[in-house]
Amino acid sequence: MSGITPEIVADHGLSEDEYAIIVRRLNREPNLVELGIFSVMWSEHCSYKSSRIHLKKLPTEAPWVICGPGENAGVIDIGEGPNGVRQACIFKMESHNHPSYIEPYQGAATGVGGILRDVFTMGARPVANLNALRFGRPDHPKMKSLVQGVVAGIGGYGNCVGVPTVGGETNFHSAYDGNILVNAMTVGVADQDKIFYSAATGLGNSIVYVGSKTGRDGIHGATMASADFGEDSEAKRPTVQVGDPFTEKLLIEACLELMATDAIVAIQDMGAAGLTSSSVEMASKGGAGIRLNMNAVPCREEGMTPYEMMLSESQERMLMVLKPGKEPMAEAIFRKWELDFAVIGEVTDTGHMVLEFDGEVVCDIPLGPLADDAPLYDRPALSLDDYKVWANVAPLGNVPASTDIGADLLKLMACPDLASRRWIWEQYDSQVGADTLQKSGGDAAVVRIHGTKKALAISTDCTPRYCYADPYEGGKQAVAETYRNISAVGAKPLAITNCLNFANPQRPEIMAQIVEALRGMGEACRALDYPIVSGNVSLYNESKATGGGSAILPTPAIGGVGLMDDHEAMATIGFKSEGEAIFVVSQSNGHLGQSLWLRELHGREDGPPPPVDLAMERAHGELVRKLVAEGKLTAVHDVSDGGLLVALTEMALKSGIGCTLEQIGDHFTAFGEDQSRYIVTSRVADTIQAAGIPMTRIGTTGGDTVSGPGFSVAISALREASESFFRDWMEA
């Protein structure tokens, strides 16, 4: 008898049906070690059992895609490097939501550490970190400390490890009161002839553990991340890992040094589910088996059991398969960097994971059921029409007229979603490495590819309120906005990663959000020739602790990457001089549904989100990139949250130069959030008209106000409004 009770099964996040499948596939009951391994590998966090059938519908290929989803990170071709070898950009975004709510500093810090390892395990030197953060109401009693802890954790880890944090986004909404979102993205650069994969091969090859010792922190982290929150979230602190960025820095350097040799067959970081997921994934991808001697695992605590070792999510650890005879050289490198090194097993041809401890076999599981045969659910989902009935978003109806556009603008610039993020980004080292050309505050972060004239443009985007009102249009818009932000600096958008944050997929209305958002994302990626090469799914983001069950807004965060051939041509958002013509690319139809103006000025979250015309999005992006490359534009900014007048204000604040608008219209055109729009400025106004694309001249740069028919607001007042939110909140 294994002693496995229904209560133990439930504590491991497995259903009765799933446990019955395990028993059938093993032809016996599992022991506790085996149950723990199944529990993490079959968790939502590791197996994507509720989303896999829908993820398979997404476009993942293009001529420039070297490796799509399925590896540690996505890989795209970015042309020739300074040494004549073709280079690759390697990138991914992942979530660390539940840990960051329970223990914000370590939760956010280890989220950064984990995504860094996903990138450098493939041979890339990380060159940029970004993050996408969602918090609850600022007046929620826990929110200030959560914001402070998360920002400090991101800054503390990224700054110490020596990778610049260059951009991201931060939003606030009551739907995140009980379940904040912390999504971290890392971008790296590698030579294409030095890209490493995770498939373990070579009968008898050594399996090597490197990095930090294994402790009891993070045990059941993947299982905890695959369940919603109850009242006992504080009791889950032991499932949050503890990070050490200085060790991570040593690990990066040691791994890259070993990667410069020919010693490595396969390499995998120990992320969610730790030693379990890394060993299972390596063996299953290589079609091999694996035998591990648990007595050889470096442990930092006395009396650790195989169960604890396999499920621990201690940080800064990697697993490798080495070529025969390369162990001494590899060990010398890791010892030089003061890191643990241990041969803990070997590759076999059994197709099983076998664990031995104190001379006994404590686990013997066929790898197929663990990895390739994990449960796959086609969960019931509402139709889009039925979902909209359930969501019960009020129709837009009559919208009150604005009595004072200038006063409305000041209020918008001071609201949490638009206020300056200076308090946040001043805590991040954005310049380490000396290749950051543009950081937070522009449309996209821009990082030079060292030793070349090329640069990577990177942006993270999502508008959750759009996704709640219409997940299909919201999914399209999240992709399109990264495309627009990257185009706005003059770079060609190449590919995206994503972090798909949703609530409980066992609810048909939540499953509808997932299905429809992915449908919209897929359409946008195809229309824009902008494939998905990596990503992460984070489900069960809801909390019973806030009373009655609180689901987050659907938040399919998108991280986009583009390439600029010559970074000296980069466009920025600030006005450059007085007397330049200001144009809007595209029409402004005044769409106020789901707008920030409607929410912040009138307390309403009504109406449909703005529709996205993907053909228009592509045409306008191509035009803007062409004009930037030709040097005809002096400033470029995409129009998004808050609409046209907010975008113009951001351009004025960036430069200290105001503008006078001959036409801005009423509050509909001033604050409507129509898509596919850019504001551009030019000294050669008569040469930038484009056939078939509307471009309207609306004003001229100059002065110390943002002014238009019937309103005038001093830049100094707008700056005070923008800076006031975080300053006053954090000082209170």
Side-chain angles (χ1 to χ4, degrees):
M1 290 291 292
S2 68
I4 303 297
T5 66
E7 291 75 21
I8 292 173
V9 172
D11 286 345
H12 282 74
L14 293 164
S15 69
E16 291 181 14
D17 289 342
E18 288 170 342
Y19 182 71
I21 294 170
I22 292 170
V23 172
R24 283 201 305 272
R25 292 184 179 174
L26 291 180
N27 201 28
R28 60 177 172 80
E29 289 199 46
N31 62 34
L32 188 62
V33 175
E34 293 166 335
L35 183 73
I37 288 170
F38 270 105
S39 79
V40 292
M41 290 307 298
W42 284 14
S43 69
E44 199 75 63
H45 193 77
C46 291
S47 74
Y48 298 165
K49 57 191 174 186
S50 297
S51 57
R52 229 160 58 233
I53 62 171
H54 303 290
L55 295 172
K56 289 177 180 177
K57 302 171 188 175
L58 295 172
T60 61
E61 297 179 346
W64 52 90
V65 173
I66 296 171
C67 179
E71 271 293 339
N72 288 289
V75 186
I76 58 173
D77 181 0
I78 54 172
E80 195 171 287
N83 57 359
V85 175
R86 292 193 74 82
Q87 292 181 299
C89 176
I90 300 177
F91 62 100
K92 190 180 183 184
M93 179 188 275
E94 280 209 341
S95 62
H96 230 220
N97 301 334
H98 288 181
S100 298
Y101 185 85
I102 296 167
E103 215 303 303
Y105 184 93
Q106 288 296 348
T110 52
V112 174
I115 196 62
L116 280 165
R117 285 193 301 282
D118 275 339
V119 168
F120 77 73
T121 193
M122 296 195 71
R125 179 170 290 281
V127 298
N129 285 334
L130 296 90
N131 51 76
L133 312 177
R134 319 285 168 182
F135 296 107
R137 292 169 292 129
D139 59 359
H140 185 280
K142 289 189 68 170
M143 210 51 57
K144 182 175 174 180
S145 64
L146 286 171
V147 172
Q148 290 172 327
V150 165
V151 172
I154 291 169
Y157 204 100
N159 297 353
C160 292
V161 83
V163 178
T165 301
V166 297
E169 54 178 341
T170 305
N171 298 137
F172 296 84
H173 193 281
S174 59
Y176 304 101
D177 281 355
N179 197 130
I180 64 173
L181 302 184
V182 176
N183 297 169
M185 178 177 175
T186 293
V187 179
V189 174
D191 288 344
Q192 290 186 21
D193 61 354
K194 287 293 183 182
I195 296 173
F196 291 84
Y197 298 99
S198 58
T201 57
L203 180 63
N205 280 348
S206 295
I207 296 168
V208 173
Y209 170 120
V210 299
S212 292
K213 288 180 168 61
T214 295
R216 290 189 169 96
D217 53 322
I219 293 175
H220 280 306
T223 306
M224 180 267 291
S226 304
D228 55 14
F229 274 174
E231 301 287 351
D232 62 343
S233 62
E234 290 298 316
K236 293 181 178 177
R237 283 183 184 272
T239 63
V240 179
Q241 311 93 321
V242 177
D244 179 355
F246 297 105
T247 300
E248 181 103 340
K249 175 62 173 173
L250 299 178
L251 190 59
I252 291 173
E253 298 303 330
C255 286
L256 292 177
E257 183 175 337
L258 185 60
M259 286 167 171
T261 73
D262 65 344
I264 298 174
V265 174
I267 181 168
Q268 174 80 34
D269 80 294
M270 296 191 213
L275 186 53
T276 291
S277 65
S278 56
S279 56
V280 169
E281 288 171 13
M282 290 177 80
S284 60
K285 286 176 184 174
I290 193 167
R291 183 189 64 79
L292 299 181
N293 173 15
M294 303 308 293
N295 294 88
V297 174
C299 294
R300 67 168 182 260
E301 299 182 45
E302 292 292 326
M304 287 192 70
T305 66
Y307 178 94
E308 293 171 322
M309 294 179 212
M310 292 303 291
L311 270 60
S312 167
E313 294 186 7
S314 294
Q315 297 292 286
E316 293 88 40
R317 301 179 301 158
M318 309 284 280
L319 201 63
M320 298 180 180
V321 176
L322 298 182
K323 293 179 180 178
K326 299 294 185 181
E327 297 88 350
M329 176 186 68
E331 181 171 9
I333 289 173
F334 282 91
R335 297 294 183 200
K336 181 185 76 172
W337 291 99
E338 300 180 349
L339 296 166
D340 272 281
F341 177 98
V343 176
I344 65 168
E346 64 181 8
V347 177
T348 69
D349 59 1
T350 65
H352 281 232
M353 166 187 272
V354 177
L355 308 181
E356 297 175 359
F357 184 65
D358 288 347
E360 295 183 1
V361 173
V362 295
C363 168
D364 186 347
I365 303 176
L367 284 162
L370 273 180
D372 304 328
D373 300 334
L376 182 62
Y377 296 125
D378 187 359
R379 297 196 186 275
L382 298 180
S383 68
L384 184 57
D385 288 342
D386 287 345
Y387 168 79
K388 289 179 181 178
V389 172
W390 172 86
N392 196 30
V393 174
L396 186 59
N398 292 325
V399 176
S402 175
T403 56
D404 189 336
I405 284 180
D408 288 359
L409 178 61
L410 280 167
K411 186 168 183 179
L412 273 178
M413 295 308 298
C415 81
D417 275 5
L418 289 177
S420 167
R421 270 73 177 124
R422 180 190 302 274
W423 179 87
I424 294 176
W425 55 254
E426 281 188 342
Q427 297 184 54
Y428 302 154
D429 187 340
S430 62
Q431 299 298 330
V432 62
D435 283 322
T436 304
L437 302 177
Q438 179 164 277
K439 57 180 182 179
S440 302
D443 281 323
V446 181
V447 178
R448 178 175 50 209
I449 298 171
H450 200 76
T452 76
K453 299 192 75 173
K454 297 183 297 183
L456 296 170
I458 318 157
S459 177
T460 63
D461 288 292
C462 182
T463 312
R465 64 184 186 277
Y466 293 177
C467 295
Y468 180 82
D470 186 333
Y472 166 68
E473 285 292 343
K476 283 164 60 178
Q477 191 272 342
V479 173
E481 190 169 346
T482 67
Y483 184 90
R484 201 156 57 238
N485 283 333
I486 290 168
S487 295
V489 300
K492 177 176 173 52
L494 291 179
I496 67 172
T497 184
N498 59 61
C499 197
L500 307 176
N501 307 273
F502 294 93
N504 187 338
Q506 297 177 56
R507 295 165 55 189
E509 62 273 15
I510 303 302
M511 204 63 220
Q513 294 174 349
I514 297 170
V515 172
E516 293 299 328
L518 287 173
R519 183 166 70 92
M521 288 167 51
E523 279 195 22
C525 290
R526 290 183 186 93
L528 301 174
D529 210 8
Y530 194 34
I532 296 170
V533 297
S534 61
N536 171 241
V537 179
S538 174
L539 304 182
Y540 295 95
N541 287 293
E542 56 184 85
S543 171
K544 296 183 178 69
T546 53
S550 172
I552 65 162
L553 299 180
T555 312
I558 304 296
V561 174
L563 181 66
M564 192 178 303
D565 291 330
D566 184 354
H567 61 72
E568 291 184 1
M570 177 181 73
T572 57
I573 76 169
F575 296 142
K576 300 304 183 294
S577 61
E578 304 214 354
E580 297 184 4
I582 304 172
F583 291 82
V584 179
V585 178
S586 191
Q587 293 177 323
S588 296
N589 297 316
H591 186 102
L592 286 178
Q594 295 300 321
S595 66
L596 282 184
W597 179 86
L598 191 66
R599 189 183 82 188
E600 297 297 325
L601 272 296
H602 299 285
R604 291 168 53 184
E605 296 187 21
D606 299 347
V612 180
D613 183 323
L614 294 169
M616 184 185 299
E617 196 73 61
R618 180 165 185 159
H620 295 183
E622 289 172 349
L623 170 66
V624 167
R625 296 198 301 272
K626 176 175 178 289
L627 294 174
V628 170
E630 292 172 351
K632 292 180 178 177
L633 305 181
T634 52
V636 183
H637 191 14
D638 89 305
V639 180
S640 55
D641 279 350
L644 199 61
L645 200 50
V646 165
L648 285 159
T649 299
E650 289 169 344
M651 298 175 85
L653 289 175
K654 195 71 173 178
S655 61
I657 298 170
C659 59
T660 301
L661 306 172
E662 290 93 33
Q663 54 175 305
I664 191 66
D666 55 14
H667 55 291
F668 285 93
T669 50
F671 302 114
E673 296 182 7
D674 309 83
Q675 298 297 293
S676 313
R677 292 185 299 165
Y678 301 79
I679 298 171
V680 301
T681 60
S682 177
R683 299 186 185 97
V684 286
D686 58 337
T687 65
I688 65 167
Q689 297 298 324
I693 295 179
M695 290 187 68
T696 306
R697 179 167 179 164
I698 61 169
T700 308
T701 61
D704 58 4
T705 64
V706 174
S707 304
F711 74 95
S712 180
V713 188
I715 291 177
S716 58
L718 291 164
R719 192 176 304 281
E720 170 60 22
S722 177
E723 299 284 351
S724 63
F725 166 68
F726 272 104
R727 182 195 64 209
D728 296 348
W729 188 29
M730 292 302 163
E731 290 178 356

